[in-house]
Amino acid sequence: HDPYTTNLHTHGLTVDPGGISDNVYRIMEPGTENEVLVELVPEQPSGTFWYHPHKHGTVSYQIMGGMAGFLIVEGGPGSLDEVPEIAAARDLVMGFQTIRVNTAGVVPWVNTAATNFKQLHQTLMDGDNFMTTNGVVEPTLTMRPGEVVRCRMLNATLGETLALRVVATGQQKLAGIPLHILSHDGLTVPEMI
């Protein structure tokens, strides 16, 4: 368990699982530079995908510290980018993460020579969780009346199921606002093609 050793793993991409690409067995040590080359196949569908570290033994620790992000592929087979209403919509990227901190309110530093990872895990479980959207706790989304927004949402938690809802503030009412699921797990819902 080397909590500061990392690598890169993608979800939703058809890529090479070896070498300097999407290789979960690759070792990237702290203080080193590591080239990553992820080549997409021509048949790669467009969509919203994601990446995170996948060093066996430290995946959870690194994701609890916020190490994950978006991979957005545009164009290609089944692309919604060519639908005029979607192409005209404002793109809103929302990455949901649970950041876990110890009772002091920080993601704990780990002394790899002295740390018992079972104790570290318990320390994090006894601490607090902060659900964030793009790193912000309880953010506010502002929209204009009649505005169409394409929300690209990523559940980059450690497996929590998210119950999302839109809440109006002030005098605003949400009745009659249509919501449409365009894709799931990054791939276009068949009815939308």
Side-chain angles (χ1 to χ4, degrees):
H1 299 292
D2 301 314
Y4 300 116
T5 299
T6 194
N7 59 23
L8 179 91
H9 177 55
T10 66
H11 285 257
L13 304 181
T14 304
V15 295
D16 182 356
I20 63 170
S21 187
D22 187 351
N23 184 347
V24 297
Y25 297 107
R26 189 170 181 199
I27 303 295
M28 297 178 185
E29 297 291 348
T32 64
E33 291 184 22
N34 299 273
E35 182 179 357
V36 176
L37 178 62
V38 178
E39 295 186 61
L40 303 181
V41 297
E43 302 81 31
Q44 173 66 49
S46 64
T48 304
F49 308 104
W50 72 298
Y51 67 89
H52 65 85
H54 205 291
K55 168 71 171 67
H56 292 272
T58 61
V59 175
S60 297
Y61 177 75
Q62 293 181 6
I63 288 179
M64 285 188 287
M67 293 178 67
F70 282 89
L71 293 167
I72 296 175
V73 177
E74 297 176 331
S79 176
L80 293 174
D81 302 331
E82 297 173 10
V83 176
E85 294 83 0
I86 294 172
R90 177 168 56 114
D91 222 24
L92 181 60
V93 176
M94 293 186 279
F96 304 106
Q97 294 179 284
T98 303
I99 307 300
R100 298 184 193 270
V101 296
N102 62 19
T103 53
V106 297
V107 175
W109 178 80
V110 177
N111 178 337
T112 57
T115 299
N116 175 319
F117 282 89
K118 209 172 212 178
Q119 290 173 340
L120 170 64
H121 182 75
Q122 191 59 51
T123 298
L124 289 168
M125 294 302 111
D126 291 342
D128 291 317
N129 297 335
F130 294 96
M131 179 59 69
T132 65
T133 305
N134 299 342
V136 178
V137 177
E138 296 185 19
T140 300
L141 167 64
T142 304
M143 293 178 62
R144 297 181 316 274
E147 181 180 13
V148 177
V149 177
R150 179 183 189 179
C151 298
R152 295 179 183 265
M153 295 185 235
L154 167 61
N155 180 353
T157 66
L158 279 177
E160 288 94 342
T161 299
L162 303 179
L164 303 176
R165 63 188 174 121
V166 178
V167 178
T169 59
Q171 301 298 320
Q172 302 298 315
K173 302 292 182 209
L174 292 178
I177 295 178
L179 299 174
H180 304 280
I181 295 176
L182 304 176
S183 62
H184 187 268
D185 284 341
L187 300 176
T188 303
V189 175
E191 303 84 66
M192 298 305 299
I193 298 177

